[in-house]
């Protein structure tokens, strides 16, 4: 059975499992990948931020309480997001989920081909980020506190997807040069496929 281990807070990158990187190229996600992602998320992110700064003339305590509820929802969604990443790896692999900075990461050194890795990166974003982005664009509610909370949750979740999405863009752009991909330490590596053929 699959064992997904929650490892707590990542203090330094040496705690992450490494593999022999000598046969790999380090993935270098460029500004073009981030620019493309920024253009994709710009509209739902703008809508989210507008909701977050929605005017509210009631008690400040209510804003504080709704923010706490919003952050609890964010943490729960982050855990589910990482769990969706984790379940795409093989049952035989060590799969670790860490808290890192203000977010979470899933770490597994399993070798995957382009389609498999795209599935790993896409799954939580198709199940969580995309529906939330669509919801925030079309939401019609009159309660300013609930709108603020939706704005808070969606802003953080959409911003949190940037690295996943930039990695997806990079992999799609370079898919013909990539034979397979593997995480090692804090970086993603790939094995080069030469002239469209797999190197033996």
């Amino acid at each position: 059975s699959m064992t997904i281990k929650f490892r707590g807070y990542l203090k330094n990158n040496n705690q992450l499992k490494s593999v022999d990187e000598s046969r790999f190229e380090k993935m270098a996600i460029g500004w073009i990948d981030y620019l493309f992602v920024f253009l994709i998320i710009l509209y739902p992110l703008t809508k989210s931020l507008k909701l977050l700064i929605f005017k509210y003339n009631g008690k400040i305590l209510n804003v504080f309480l709704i923010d706490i509820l919003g952050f609890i929802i964010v943490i729960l969604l982050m855990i589910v997001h990482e769990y969706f990443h984790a379940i795409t790896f093989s049952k035989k692999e060590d799969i670790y989920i860490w808290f890192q900075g203000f977010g979470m990461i899933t770490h597994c050194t399993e070798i995957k081909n382009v389609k498999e890795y795209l599935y790993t990166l896409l799954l939580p974003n198709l199940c969580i980020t995309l529906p939330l982005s669509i919801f925030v664009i079309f939401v019609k509610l009159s309660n300013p506190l609930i709108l603020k909370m939706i704005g808070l949750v969606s802003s953080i979740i959409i911003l949190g997807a940037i690295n996943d999405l930039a990695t997806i863009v990079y992999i799609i752009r370079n898919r013909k040069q990539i034979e397979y991909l593997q995480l090692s330490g804090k970086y993603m590596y790939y094995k080069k496929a030469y002239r469209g053929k797999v190197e033996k």
Side-chain angles (χ1 to χ4, degrees), residues 90-184:
S90 162
K91 290 183 173 70
K92 298 173 196 145
E93 298 289 329
D94 293 323
I95 306 153
Y96 302 110
I97 296 175
W98 298 85
F99 281 96
Q100 185 186 37
F102 294 106
M104 296 177 80
I105 58 163
T106 298
H107 198 275
C108 179
T109 57
E110 183 181 4
I111 288 172
K112 285 171 166 275
N113 65 32
V114 168
K115 280 184 185 166
E116 288 168 339
Y117 235 111
L118 286 175
Y119 175 63
T120 293
L121 292 162
L122 276 168
L123 184 63
N125 292 297
L126 289 174
C127 295
I128 297 170
T129 318
L130 183 62
L132 198 55
S133 300
I134 293 166
F135 176 66
V136 87
I137 290 166
F138 296 106
V139 66
K140 294 274 185 286
L141 289 169
S142 55
N143 187 321
L145 275 179
I146 301 296
L147 289 172
K148 268 184 175 302
M149 189 186 72
I150 293 166
L152 176 76
V153 171
S154 53
S155 299
I156 295 171
I157 296 298
I158 291 167
L159 284 169
I162 286 176
N163 273 336
D164 280 355
L165 299 177
T167 308
I168 289 165
V169 173
Y170 177 94
I171 293 171
I172 290 170
R173 270 200 317 118
N174 297 285
R175 66 195 178 279
K176 287 183 179 163
Q177 279 117 47
I178 298 171
E179 185 189 335
Y180 54 75
L181 300 115
Q182 187 173 24
L183 267 173
S184 176

